[in-house]
Amino acid sequence: MNLLKKYNIKTPKSKTFKISEKLSFDTFPCVLKINKNIHKSDVGGVITSINSNEELNRAKEIILENLKKHNIKINEDDKFLIQEEVKGIELFIGGVFDNVFEEVLVFGKGGVLVEIEKDITYIDVNSDKEEIKKAIALTKISKIFPEFRGKKYDLDLVVKEIQKFQNLFKNEDIKEFDINPLIYTEKGLVAVDVRIKENKPPKKEFIKKTHSLFNNKKVAILGATDKKDKVGYAIAKNAMTSKAEIFFVNPKLSTLFGKKVYKLDELLEVDTAVIAIPPKFVLESIEYLAKKGCKNFIIISAGFKESGNIEKEEKIKKLAKEYNLNIVGPNCLGIYNSKLDLNLTFAKSPIKKGSLALISQSGAVLTALMDKAALKVGFSHIISMGNMADFNFANALQELNNQPSCKEISIYIEGLQYGKAYLKAIRNSSKPIFIYKAGRSEEAKKAAFSHTGNLAGNYEMIITLSKIAGAHIKDSIETLIFAPKYKNVKEVVIVTNAGGPGTILTDLVTKHKKLKKLDKEILEKLNQVLPSTWSKNNPVDIIGDATSTRYKAALDILAPISELIFVIVTPQFMTDEENIAKVLKKYKNVIPIFLGEYSFSGIDLEYFSSLEEAVKIL
């Protein structure tokens, strides 16, 4: 209790007694509890609403009898605690030292059912007032603010109290604590039942990078080969169109793609090295090139932490620190730098220049997204993170925030390492950040570990802390490449040849955006090209017998005045799906949704086959 008072956190008037002592108190009603580290409510270790000293001593005997029934032994080291009874709204606040995010607060609705109801949110100890408010808004108990059932509740009062606990947790040697309940009263918040575990674990050292990963003027590719089935061949070929100076390294080759191939000791000074060689040669190659001034390393080679070889990965980390390096990977797909047309990946898909930076922990997910985006979505940068022995998400976000050509950032995350630095990077980013987090289930966490060697961590904690720090959380992988394009859309138009799907899509869209209101002029234009039975509203139902001609007539009117149009096509007898697909290709602000499978198998167009999946881009 003295520790709480140090931070001006109110506690009830209280008094402790030895087990053998007669109890007495001067403030009623009061509460009696056994001061022992057990779930008191479950075993009858607490009695409330005591109104006299006579009742107090009777309550003592009842508690001792209850403990005896539950085979809980009591000795002279145990004590009874008497507290004045405080009434009000029961809240909960706790703190946990997380392996990723270090000190994190847990806040929400308190009481004996807190573990069942789980009406909680997460708050970083470095979160400011606005982040705290955003976190609280994620709970159901937040509905009491500013007023509930005729009583006013001050949100700012709760925020100030949470800030006290942030300071306590940051400054004290505490590993874990919980206060349940933290009672909201007319006179302020009162911490009633307090549990504290000391001895905070040591924090991991985060190393901020001092030079750019995308300084790639002279690039060496170790493991470049003429064998077409090897990764080194794909990377070498992809790099050939770059504006950077490329050096191939392979002791068994003399030329490749008409260029000289070097032995490692023949290599001139380079700033970037891509390593696609057997893992046993990786460390010595890094150290050799680092001594010659190379600062950026992309390790494609696998066979490290993901396969149990933790020691080698730790050595990679030490080399990065010793020589002040950027080391991406190992076990990664590579990087892309649009400024130099530099594709240092072994992906098959062509890459279009653009403003989106894509970061992925999984190479397979990255290749799938690159393939889906090919020639449609443009990238400024791509980083395949792999095992993240050194270069991590916080480093990547800091790097991309400094790149002028990057306007948006999308991230596929399996596990995190340096949570505090990661959150700081999100807060400091001037670019919108979109995140998909894998590893929601226990099974998925295990899969993520075997795949990349990183624990997925607490899914809800990562999502909540990322969101309140300013990231946009997405629940579909594909939206990582499409959502940034539509981030500023405010109003949506729906065109459909069926009323039911249009209604369903309206419900889904309006959870995120507004439907555009069509003015009289637009309605009149549509009246002239659509059947008299059309909906006369948005969604624009152009009726089930619509052909490509009718779709085109409606879109010619709507496309110029719309930010985004979802176009639904359902298979009717008269639906000319291939011609409709050709029509839809001509409009840049149209998102096609073809609801069916058999009837649409032959169309040449990227489309959504689900209303729910389509809306996830918003």
Side-chain angles (χ1 to χ4, degrees):
M1 292 298 184
N2 288 333
L3 187 58
L4 298 186
K5 288 176 183 176
K6 178 180 175 181
Y7 291 89
N8 199 26
I9 297 167
K10 293 179 183 177
T11 57
K13 184 177 180 180
S14 62
K15 195 173 180 181
T16 57
F17 288 84
K18 293 179 180 178
I19 293 294
S20 57
E21 287 183 299
K22 185 176 181 180
L23 308 183
S24 65
F25 203 53
D26 59 4
T27 304
F28 297 99
C30 69
V31 177
L32 179 67
K33 59 184 78 173
I34 187 71
N35 199 10
K36 195 174 182 71
N37 192 18
I38 56 174
H39 285 289
K40 303 171 186 65
S41 300
D42 296 344
V43 296
V46 58
I47 295 177
T48 63
S49 302
I50 300 169
N51 291 301
S52 68
N53 282 317
E54 185 179 349
E55 288 183 26
L56 192 57
N57 282 282
R58 195 156 52 241
K60 171 187 171 182
E61 297 305 320
I62 293 171
I63 288 175
L64 289 172
E65 190 61 33
N66 289 339
L67 297 176
K68 187 177 180 181
K69 287 177 184 177
H70 285 86
N71 296 316
I72 297 172
K73 294 182 179 180
I74 298 297
N75 56 54
E76 281 301 315
D77 292 330
D78 294 315
K79 290 181 172 60
F80 276 108
L81 174 65
I82 307 170
Q83 288 180 328
E84 66 173 306
E85 189 163 14
V86 181
K87 294 186 178 180
I89 298 289
E90 290 189 335
L91 303 174
F92 169 86
I93 191 161
V96 60
F97 191 93
D98 181 69
N99 186 46
V100 172
F101 290 100
E102 296 168 354
E103 302 99 333
V104 176
L105 297 181
V106 185
F107 174 85
K109 184 178 182 295
V112 295
L113 299 179
V114 65
E115 293 174 341
I116 296 173
E117 294 175 330
K118 290 185 178 177
D119 182 23
I120 58 167
T121 189
Y122 299 97
I123 303 169
D124 180 40
V125 292
N126 295 326
S127 290
D128 63 13
K129 181 179 178 180
E130 293 310 309
E131 276 192 27
I132 295 171
K133 285 186 175 180
K134 283 200 284 185
I136 294 172
L138 298 174
T139 66
K140 293 176 184 176
I141 193 66
S142 66
K143 302 299 186 293
I144 68 171
F145 304 108
E147 188 173 337
F148 180 69
R149 291 186 176 177
K151 287 189 177 181
K152 292 187 177 181
Y153 295 93
D154 187 349
L155 179 58
D156 286 326
L157 188 68
V158 176
V159 171
K160 287 176 183 176
E161 201 70 19
I162 290 172
Q163 288 174 325
K164 294 177 186 178
F165 284 102
Q166 286 178 311
N167 290 329
L168 179 148
F169 204 11
K170 276 193 287 189
N171 297 328
E172 302 295 335
D173 185 23
I174 295 173
K175 179 181 180 181
E176 187 179 337
F177 74 89
D178 67 56
I179 294 172
N180 185 23
L182 174 69
I183 298 183
Y184 186 109
T185 75
E186 293 178 355
K187 296 180 180 180
L189 285 97
V190 182
V192 175
D193 201 348
V194 182
R195 182 179 66 86
I196 293 175
K197 187 184 289 185
E198 296 181 327
N199 298 319
K200 188 180 290 184
K203 298 183 179 184
K204 292 182 287 188
E205 181 187 13
F206 172 74
I207 300 173
K208 189 175 180 180
K209 300 302 180 180
T210 59
H211 53 274
S212 175
L213 173 68
F214 294 106
N215 179 24
N216 315 127
K217 293 175 183 175
K218 296 183 177 182
V219 181
I221 300 175
L222 281 65
T225 178
D226 56 357
K227 294 181 173 60
K228 293 184 179 181
D229 60 340
K230 297 294 184 182
V231 166
Y233 177 88
I235 296 171
K237 188 173 183 182
N238 283 340
M240 282 294 293
T241 58
S242 171
K243 296 172 187 173
E245 194 173 353
I246 305 296
F247 301 90
F248 297 143
V249 180
N250 187 327
K252 297 178 181 178
L253 280 182
S254 57
T255 61
L256 179 64
F257 302 131
K259 288 172 64 70
K260 178 181 176 180
V261 179
Y262 295 81
K263 294 181 174 63
L264 187 62
D265 58 6
E266 295 175 341
L267 198 62
L268 301 174
E269 187 176 319
V270 295
D271 50 56
T272 304
V274 183
I275 298 180
I277 58 179
K280 62 182 179 179
F281 301 119
V282 168
L283 290 170
E284 62 186 66
S285 299
I286 293 173
E287 188 158 22
Y288 176 80
L289 289 173
K291 286 177 178 177
K292 295 187 73 172
C294 184
K295 288 296 184 182
N296 298 317
F297 293 84
I298 297 95
I299 306 177
I300 308 296
S301 311
F304 292 86
K305 185 167 64 177
E306 83 286 349
S307 58
N309 200 339
I310 297 172
E311 186 180 346
K312 275 193 175 179
E313 202 151 303
E314 285 298 316
K315 288 180 180 177
I316 289 173
K317 189 181 294 186
K318 287 179 181 176
L319 285 173
K321 184 177 179 181
E322 182 180 352
Y323 292 100
N324 190 23
L325 310 175
N326 291 320
I327 302 182
V328 178
N331 186 30
C332 77
L333 185 81
I335 67 170
Y336 167 76
N337 179 354
S338 66
K339 186 177 179 181
L340 296 169
D341 294 316
L342 180 61
N343 182 359
L344 295 177
T345 78
F346 57 94
K348 183 178 181 181
S349 313
I351 304 175
K352 178 184 174 184
K353 274 188 181 183
S355 62
L356 175 63
L358 181 61
I359 311 169
S360 176
Q361 199 163 351
S362 162
V365 168
L366 182 56
T367 55
L369 290 175
M370 290 168 68
D371 193 69
K372 200 166 189 70
L375 304 180
K376 294 188 289 293
V377 176
F379 297 103
S380 63
H381 304 84
I382 294 172
I383 308 174
S384 172
M385 302 300 287
N387 292 6
M388 298 193 296
D390 169 52
F391 199 84
N392 53 68
F393 285 116
N395 299 139
L397 287 170
Q398 289 169 354
E399 171 68 64
L400 293 167
N401 195 40
N402 293 326
Q403 293 292 331
S405 59
C406 167
K407 305 299 181 187
E408 310 93 11
I409 303 169
S410 284
I411 315 175
Y412 169 81
I413 297 175
E414 288 176 356
L416 283 173
Q417 295 165 322
Y418 302 95
K420 285 281 188 284
Y422 160 81
L423 293 176
K424 184 178 180 181
I426 293 176
R427 293 183 188 113
N428 291 342
S429 178
S430 59
K431 297 44 182 315
I433 297 169
F434 302 84
I435 291 172
Y436 178 88
K437 168 71 177 79
R440 184 190 294 263
S441 66
E442 289 302 316
E443 290 75 13
K445 289 178 189 178
K446 291 172 186 174
F449 182 81
S450 63
H451 179 52
T452 66
N454 287 287
L455 288 170
N458 183 313
Y459 177 88
E460 291 301 333
M461 184 184 290
I462 291 174
I463 289 300
T464 301
L465 293 178
S466 299
K467 186 174 184 177
I468 67 172
H472 304 272
I473 308 303
K474 309 309 291 183
D475 55 4
S476 163
I477 295 174
E478 288 82 2
T479 58
L480 290 178
I481 54 176
F482 294 120
K485 184 177 179 181
Y486 304 108
K487 65 182 183 298
N488 295 322
V489 167
K490 291 185 175 123
E491 296 182 322
V492 173
V493 172
I494 297 171
V495 175
T496 178
N497 68 342
T503 302
I504 295 169
L505 187 58
T506 298
D507 288 338
L508 295 170
V509 165
T510 51
K511 290 178 181 177
H512 307 277
K513 306 288 182 180
K514 292 180 180 179
L515 283 191
K516 182 177 178 63
K517 188 174 181 180
L518 304 179
D519 61 30
K520 288 183 181 180
E521 184 182 349
I522 294 298
L523 292 173
E524 185 54 40
K525 286 182 179 179
L526 290 170
N527 281 335
Q528 292 173 17
V529 299
L530 298 178
S532 60
T533 52
W534 82 278
S535 60
K536 311 288 195 302
N537 205 346
N538 182 17
V540 179
D541 185 351
I542 62 175
I543 310 305
D545 62 352
T547 63
S548 56
T549 303
R550 194 180 297 167
Y551 273 101
K552 182 179 184 304
L555 290 171
D556 281 345
I557 295 166
L558 293 167
I561 55 97
S562 304
E563 296 177 274
L564 176 66
I565 307 175
F566 284 113
V567 176
I568 302 172
V569 184
T570 63
Q572 316 290 345
F573 183 80
M574 60 292 297
T575 304
D576 54 339
E577 60 277 353
E578 291 186 18
N579 288 330
I580 292 172
K582 289 176 183 177
V583 166
L584 299 188
K585 274 186 179 180
K586 298 176 182 178
Y587 303 93
K588 291 184 178 180
N589 55 347
V590 160
I591 302 296
I593 308 171
F594 284 75
L595 296 180
E597 187 172 342
Y598 173 79
S599 298
F600 303 133
S601 59
I603 66 172
D604 180 23
L605 178 71
E606 281 284 342
Y607 66 89
F608 287 100
S609 57
S610 157
L611 299 173
E612 290 79 7
E613 286 301 311
V615 169
K616 287 177 181 178
I617 70 169
L618 297 177

